[in-house]
Amino acid sequence: MSDYEFYYWSVPFRGQFVRAVLAYAGKTWIEGGDDAIARLMEGPVRQMPVPFMGPPLLIDKKANFAIAEMPAIVLYLGETLDLMPATPTLRALTMKVVNDANDVIDDITLDGGREMWTRERWRAFVPRLEKWMALWEETGHRHGLTPDSGFLLGGKVPGIADVVTATLWSTMADRFHEIAAILEETAPMTAALTRRIADLPPLAELAAKARKDYGDAYCGGQIEASLRKVLGASL
């Protein structure tokens, strides 16, 4: 029997962070699928596992507990699976990284497709993307990260911050080579950390499964199509 039920659309995007934490922790889960998500969203609030506007949504079957919103889910998993750092300062920094990742994917989709990408809009955005990458690079630098070793917030083993970092940048870079090139140029230590963590067997297996299940899809819809168009990527 699986440990969790997970509800997210059939793309990586925001749901991949939750999948990555579950995979890294060696947990099992089943996915509800797009139709089940739509039914939950359209149904009465009083019948929802937890009141929510949209996925991701996680149900911990053993604890009989449901939680939505990616950062809240990751916090819950980090706490219950003993993946959070021991000190309040590092715990707070971990959640900053999680929330920063959530903000980056909002940025890369122009707040979920409120507008579509144009080449001019992308050119204007690149400095902001580079600044996001620089934030990761400086965070790692302050905690002893090098091109060949270390973790984003220090320590001897990967933590939530590293799993989220690798998921953010590897999922994006694998699908958009122009973004991969910007990451290598702007934040080489972050790029190297991303490769090291993404190569861990549970995360490598998850990435391969995502490729099998979702193909080249990243976030889906018209916003992904517009992003691929301005970056010259094929659909």
Side-chain angles (χ1 to χ4, degrees):
M1 189 173 92
S2 61
D3 301 309
Y4 301 88
E5 291 179 18
F6 182 55
Y7 293 84
Y8 195 70
W9 308 115
S10 299
V11 291
F13 200 50
R14 212 179 304 271
Q16 203 68 3
F17 297 101
V18 179
R19 295 175 181 123
V21 173
L22 290 170
Y24 178 68
K27 297 300 179 179
T28 59
W29 70 96
I30 57 173
E31 302 220 7
D34 294 0
D35 290 344
I37 294 168
R39 286 194 299 271
L40 283 175
M41 291 173 62
E42 293 166 2
V45 172
R46 66 180 178 275
Q47 294 181 9
M48 292 177 173
V50 63
F52 80 115
M53 288 296 289
L57 165 70
L58 183 76
I59 300 174
D60 183 335
K61 296 166 70 174
K62 183 177 180 180
N64 192 28
F65 175 73
I67 186 67
E69 298 291 346
M70 187 275 281
I73 296 171
V74 171
L75 173 62
Y76 175 74
L77 291 175
E79 294 283 2
T80 56
L81 300 177
D82 197 25
L83 296 174
M84 294 291 280
T87 67
T89 52
L90 289 177
R91 293 161 88 87
L93 281 171
T94 294
M95 290 312 300
K96 176 191 179 295
V97 171
V98 175
N99 282 282
D100 280 350
N102 207 35
D103 287 345
V104 170
I105 62 174
D106 279 342
D107 272 4
I108 206 72
T109 56
L110 293 171
D111 295 326
R114 289 182 185 273
E115 298 178 297
M116 295 296 112
W117 285 108
T118 64
R119 194 64 197 178
E120 294 73 21
R121 193 169 281 145
W122 176 257
R123 289 194 190 100
F125 172 69
V126 167
R128 181 175 174 86
L129 179 60
E130 291 172 337
K131 184 172 182 178
W132 274 122
M133 294 171 175
L135 299 186
W136 256 266
E137 195 78 347
E138 180 59 22
T139 298
H141 173 72
R142 294 185 186 190
H143 293 89
L145 183 66
T146 75
D148 302 312
S149 64
F151 302 106
L152 190 71
L153 300 180
K156 296 182 179 180
V157 296
I160 288 285
D162 303 290
V163 173
V164 167
T165 295
T167 303
L168 172 68
W169 297 119
S170 68
T171 307
M172 195 182 300
D174 286 349
R175 287 157 176 80
F176 303 103
H177 294 162
E178 185 169 327
I179 295 176
I182 296 171
L183 182 66
E184 291 287 350
E185 178 68 23
T186 305
M189 292 191 303
T190 304
L193 172 67
T194 292
R195 286 191 293 272
R196 291 199 303 273
I197 302 301
D199 283 344
L200 294 173
L203 299 185
E205 290 172 14
L206 180 68
K209 186 176 187 304
R211 278 291 185 183
K212 179 182 177 182
D213 292 347
Y214 316 130
D216 288 336
Y218 176 63
C219 59
Q222 293 180 338
I223 186 60
E224 178 172 340
S226 74
L227 181 60
R228 289 187 178 280
K229 184 176 181 179
V230 299
L231 294 181
S234 61
L235 287 170

